[in-house]
């Protein structure tokens, strides 16, 4: 009391409250059996992301997205566009910039334009299309993407979900050669994208039993698509336990049209009862057994072309779906012979992709174009203040028919 004088009672009460809260926190951590649950909000997260929400039990797999330094230094494939004055370009500077974009992309399989000063997605997509020259129609896709302008789409995923590393549209018989992201709105330090350099990841994977099993068995993708009518048009954004409706995925209105579009994607189809809405009998289940690898012509070798992004763990932090039992979630994935992956195999798979990680921080006007064979992409969860916005436009590249791994190209 000699130190605090008349404030002693308040200080004593505050101290008691503090220690009571600490004791309660420790008690609930023991009850939930989540060691270090408090660190879920802070420690271990990659820059530019956050741990989404709070769970009664922690997810089985927590991606790091990158370990230490970038697997490929960002500056090696980045172009500072300030010298080119893209708001009022001239023919000479445009020709030089286009040449640098193509050179970087050919050498690294990726190119990043920054400090462009651009705000219009039409202007950004023009530079993206320097290397992403042909665009495919987004049919049979997993995410409910909405168009921004012609052939430029929204990401189609909630901010508070981890997007594990993946290769775009690996779950169909056709995929795309490359794609680009254009930063329309970007809050500083939030919503970073991560690339994983896939050549080194493939090399490391093939030194493991998991890699050899993936080579020999392939993978089986099962995707289940809900009926838009059964959910009155609502999806995950409205809090429904929905990933995507088959009407949106295939851009159709009737089951017959959906079957035809699925067949064009090389998918087997089955109409089932919705496990969460038994009254709905138009629940579309698709199946594809395919190689876990793909031959990449630009480097003349097989590369890994699969990830746990097509496993039910994709939804561990997905709004509206994370509370659904794993066996009832819209995505299921096994080895090609139907053997389930062990938890240790899934963790090893994620860890290898993390080893190849490259952090890409966004500023408005940035453009990132990359080879879908040579790089996987993903991002941590993030949260925005009411006044903040993040919008990334996706330019989908040229469609190709998958051939899987070639025997002489390992």
């Amino acid at each position: 009391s000699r130190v605090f004088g008349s404030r002693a009672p308040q200080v004593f009460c505050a101290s008691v409250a503090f220690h009571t809260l600490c004791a309660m926190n420790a008690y609930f951590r023991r009850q939930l059996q989540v060691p270090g649950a408090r660190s879920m909000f802070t420690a271990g997260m990659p820059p530019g992301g956050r741990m989404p929400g709070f769970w009664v039990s922690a997810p089985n797999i927590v991606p790091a997205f990158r370990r230490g330094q970038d697997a490929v230094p960002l500056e090696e494939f980045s172009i500072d566009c300030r010298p080119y004055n893209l708001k009022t370009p001239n023919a000479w500077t445009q020709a030089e910039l286009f040449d640098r974009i193509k050179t970087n992309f050919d050498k690294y399989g990726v190119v990043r334009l920054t400090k462009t000063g651009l705000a219009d997605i039409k202007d950004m997509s023009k530079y993206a299309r320097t290397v992403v020259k042909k665009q495919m129609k987004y049919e049979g896709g997993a995410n409910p993407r909405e168009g921004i302008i012609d052939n430029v789409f929204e990401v189609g995923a909630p901010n508070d979900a981890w997007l594990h590393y993946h290769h775009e549209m690996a779950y169909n018989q056709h995929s795309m050669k490359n794609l680009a992201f254009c930063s329309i709105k970007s809050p500083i330090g939030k919503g970073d994208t991560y690339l994983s350099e896939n050549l080194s990841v493939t090399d490391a994977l093939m030194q493991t039993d998991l890699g050899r099993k993936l080579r020999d068995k392939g993978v089986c993708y099962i995707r289940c698509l809900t009926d838009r009518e059964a959910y009155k048009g609502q999806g995950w954004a409205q809090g429904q336990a929905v990933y995507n409706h088959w009407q949106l995925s295939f851009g159709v209105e009737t089951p017959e049209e959906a079957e035809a579009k699925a067949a064009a994607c090389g998918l087997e189809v089955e109409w089932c009862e919705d496990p969460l809405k038994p009254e709905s009998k138009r629940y579309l289940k698709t199946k594809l057994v395919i190689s876990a690898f793909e031959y990449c012509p630009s480097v003349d070798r097989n590369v890994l072309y699969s990830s746990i992004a097509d496993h039910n763990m994709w939804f561990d932090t997905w709004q509206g779906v994370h509370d659904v039992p794993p066996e009832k979630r819209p995505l299921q994935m096994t080895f090609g012979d139907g053997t389930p992956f062990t938890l240790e195999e899934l963790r090893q798979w994620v860890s290898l992709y993390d080893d190849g990680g490259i952090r890409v921080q966004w500023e408005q006007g940035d453009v990132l174009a990359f080879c879908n064979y040579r790089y996987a992409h993903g991002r941590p969860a993030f949260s925005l203040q009411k006044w903040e916005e993040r919008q990334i436009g996706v330019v989908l590249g040229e469609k190709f028919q998958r051939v899987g791994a070639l025997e002489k190209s390992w």
Side-chain angles (χ1 to χ4, degrees), residues 22-37 56:
C22 290
M24 290 174 64
N25 178 59
Y27 169 78
F28 284 116
R29 280 170 54 181
R30 289 195 299 272
Q31 295 301 307
L32 295 172
Q33 296 181 336
V34 184
V56 173

Side-chain angles (χ1 to χ4, degrees), residues 199-333:
L199 303 187
S200 61
V201 174
T202 303
D203 290 341
L205 177 68
M206 294 312 296
Q207 301 302 311
T208 69
D209 288 338
L210 172 61
R212 291 183 283 272
K213 286 174 71 175
L214 286 169
R215 178 195 62 198
D216 297 340
K217 295 174 179 285
V219 290
C220 176
Y221 297 116
I222 294 176
R223 289 193 302 141
C224 299
L225 302 168
T226 44
D227 178 17
R228 182 183 60 201
E229 305 309 315
Y231 289 83
K232 299 179 181 179
Q234 294 189 325
W236 58 260
Q238 292 77 38
Q240 296 290 327
V242 167
Y243 184 38
N244 200 2
H245 303 306
W246 52 261
Q247 291 94 332
L248 293 177
S249 177
F250 292 108
V252 298
E253 293 298 327
T254 69
E256 293 76 17
E257 291 173 316
E259 288 182 19
K261 289 293 180 72
C265 295
L267 307 175
E268 300 177 29
V269 300
E270 179 184 359
W271 294 98
C272 309
E273 178 183 283
D274 188 330
L276 302 182
K277 280 186 176 289
E279 66 275 16
S280 174
K281 311 300 181 184
R282 301 202 308 175
Y283 185 74
L284 180 57
K285 179 180 179 180
T286 71
K287 178 180 178 180
L288 176 68
V289 177
I290 199 168
S291 175
F293 299 85
E294 189 67 22
Y295 173 73
C296 177
S298 66
V299 291
D300 190 27
R301 57 167 291 183
N302 298 323
V303 295
L304 179 61
Y305 211 71
S306 53
S307 74
I308 79 159
D310 295 291
H311 191 274
N312 59 51
M313 284 188 182
W314 173 258
F315 296 109
D316 279 355
T317 58
W318 191 281
Q319 179 181 331
V321 189
H322 60 78
D323 292 328
V324 176
E327 68 276 7
K328 293 184 179 181
R329 290 178 180 178
L331 297 183
Q332 303 293 329
M333 183 183 181

Side-chain angles (χ1 to χ4, degrees), residues 176-194:
M176 65 189 70
K177 294 181 178 180
N178 43 44
L179 63 159
F181 296 153
C182 303
S183 178
I184 304 168
K185 299 173 183 177
S186 301
I188 300 299
K190 295 183 178 180
D192 296 348
T193 290
Y194 283 74

